[in-house]
Amino acid sequence: MRFDWSREEIAALFDLPFPELLFRAAEVHRRHHAPDQVQLCTLLSIKTGGCPEDCGYCSQSASADSGLKAEKLMDVDAVLASAAEAKAAGSQRFCMGAAWRNPKDRDMDAVVAMVEGVRALGLETCMTLGMLEPHQAARLKDAGLDYYNHNIDTSPEHYGDVITTRTFQDRLDTLANVRDAGIAVCCGGIVGMGETRADRVGFVHALATLPRHPESVPVNALVPVPGTPLGDMLADTPLAKIDDIEFVRTVAVARIAMPRSMVRLSAGRESMSEATQGLCFLAGANSIFTGDKLLTTGNAGDSADAALFAKLGVRPMTADEPMRMAAE
């Protein structure tokens, strides 16, 4: 396990011939993970729309003209019903996302009840609620929250071109609050936002040089939603979809740099071919969001995933993640 990667070393991995890169990533993956198992996770939007942040990719931003209406926080019982459906479909982890800059203390009672209820169903729990203060992170830990998701999104250099309402350091501060509370970290980002290869290098480097690697690293491919700044800017351009080989390279480099992390194929998977997804699994991805919807965008769906798994000879993961087992 290394935490002292240089950008030059990360860049050299990206520059490897594609077969060599995949070979190295697969070797690393097999040392730490079962190569024929992929973790199934389900993501639910528990509070949709109206977010004051200006993230250029997000349809839930109040400044986006995406047609998405702001909704109130879901009822706890409705969330638990969705979690029960996810478990019945084979999910191991249930992730809940709220379109907030940060949760208000008045919302924490309901959020805590959701965490406790989902855990009682026998599912791992994950929340993404925006920035967290230390006392809020501590309360989530006391409720039994397993993971907190807070993505860095992109490289430090490209970050200001995507978001202006909070800084890259704000993101790191929340990650530190989550770590200090004893909650596992889920942190990744989005590729295909008009960034350069150097930005993808910087993105992986920022994650791989954290004091502790994230237990989960979601790698999203941008879904260019009309009415969002990036969706409108990149629509119908060559930048509207990241090259499949470059996407697989990003997954492979993340696997090599963070050997024990779960690397998750997240948004954008519904537009990937089965062959591209298969290459991602070969390159070390071992987690997906299943179901037909993520927060607000489409997803491949349970039946499509089951068919793909059957073709590849892959099965849903049931054991604990390596980093969590090592911590225990």
Side-chain angles (χ1 to χ4, degrees):
M1 297 286 284
R2 289 185 52 191
F3 305 91
D4 61 347
W5 290 93
S6 69
R7 287 205 178 200
E8 290 74 20
E9 288 175 309
I10 300 293
L13 291 174
F14 267 99
D15 289 340
L16 285 171
F18 190 65
E20 177 65 19
L21 175 59
L22 259 62
F23 178 75
R24 294 192 192 184
E27 278 193 318
V28 170
H29 185 66
R30 285 169 178 268
R31 282 201 295 270
H32 300 281
H33 306 269
D36 63 341
Q37 295 184 30
V38 175
Q39 182 188 57
L40 300 183
C41 307
T42 298
L43 177 61
L44 175 69
S45 178
I46 61 173
K47 194 281 173 191
T48 303
C51 181
E53 304 281 15
D54 67 354
C55 305
Y57 52 80
C58 187
S59 62
Q60 301 199 68
S61 170
S63 60
D65 188 21
S66 61
L68 194 68
K69 295 182 179 180
E71 299 176 0
K72 294 181 179 180
L73 184 66
M74 283 181 65
D75 179 75
V76 173
D77 289 340
V79 172
L80 298 185
S82 293
E85 292 177 4
K87 183 179 180 181
S91 280
Q92 184 181 41
R93 186 184 305 176
F94 191 70
C95 308
M96 296 160 274
W100 288 325
R101 174 178 171 82
N102 52 275
K104 302 294 189 294
D105 286 341
R106 66 173 180 267
D107 298 312
M108 292 300 294
D109 285 347
V111 167
V112 162
M114 292 174 192
V115 173
E116 293 173 340
V118 173
R119 276 185 62 87
L121 292 171
L123 287 162
E124 289 183 354
T125 54
C126 182
M127 283 267 180
T128 178
L129 312 172
M131 294 184 288
L132 280 187
E133 295 296 328
H135 72 282
Q136 294 172 324
R139 190 163 181 207
L140 290 172
K141 172 63 176 177
D142 289 343
L145 184 68
D146 296 296
Y147 285 85
Y148 193 81
N149 167 259
H150 199 64
N151 292 335
I152 59 169
D153 286 343
T154 187
S155 69
E157 293 79 13
H158 188 57
Y159 183 89
D161 294 332
V162 178
I163 304 155
T164 66
T165 48
R166 63 174 129 172
T167 66
F168 195 85
Q169 186 59 50
D170 288 333
R171 303 249 178 191
L172 298 181
D173 290 344
T174 286
L175 294 179
N177 291 338
V178 170
R179 277 282 182 228
D180 289 346
I183 301 171
V185 166
C186 174
C187 184
I190 307 170
V191 295
M193 297 194 293
E195 78 281 351
T196 63
R197 164 73 71 81
D199 289 315
R200 289 186 282 278
V201 169
F203 161 62
V204 175
H205 177 263
L207 293 172
T209 55
L210 288 169
R212 177 180 169 90
H213 294 159
E215 281 80 359
S216 291
V217 178
V219 182
N220 298 272
L222 177 72
V223 178
V225 179
T228 62
L230 284 175
D232 291 342
M233 180 176 72
L234 299 178
D236 302 320
T237 74
L239 293 174
K241 184 178 185 298
I242 188 170
D243 175 80
D244 285 345
I245 298 299
E246 184 71 8
F247 185 86
V248 177
R249 281 186 181 276
T250 306
V251 169
V253 173
R255 166 53 65 219
I256 294 170
M258 294 168 282
R260 289 184 178 177
S261 300
M262 303 296 294
V263 177
R264 180 180 304 125
L265 299 185
S266 298
R269 193 167 61 86
E270 78 286 350
S271 64
M272 295 178 191
S273 69
E274 291 183 335
T276 296
Q277 293 180 68
L279 284 173
C280 286
F281 295 142
L282 178 63
N286 60 341
S287 180
I288 62 170
F289 278 127
T290 192
D292 57 8
K293 189 177 182 181
L294 298 183
L295 290 174
T296 61
T297 58
N299 196 37
D302 295 336
S303 59
D305 290 336
L308 175 60
F309 277 26
K311 282 186 181 181
L312 298 177
V314 169
R315 56 195 173 93
M317 175 179 163
T318 56
D320 287 337
E321 301 91 332
M323 285 185 71
R324 297 197 70 196
M325 287 191 291
E328 297 170 357

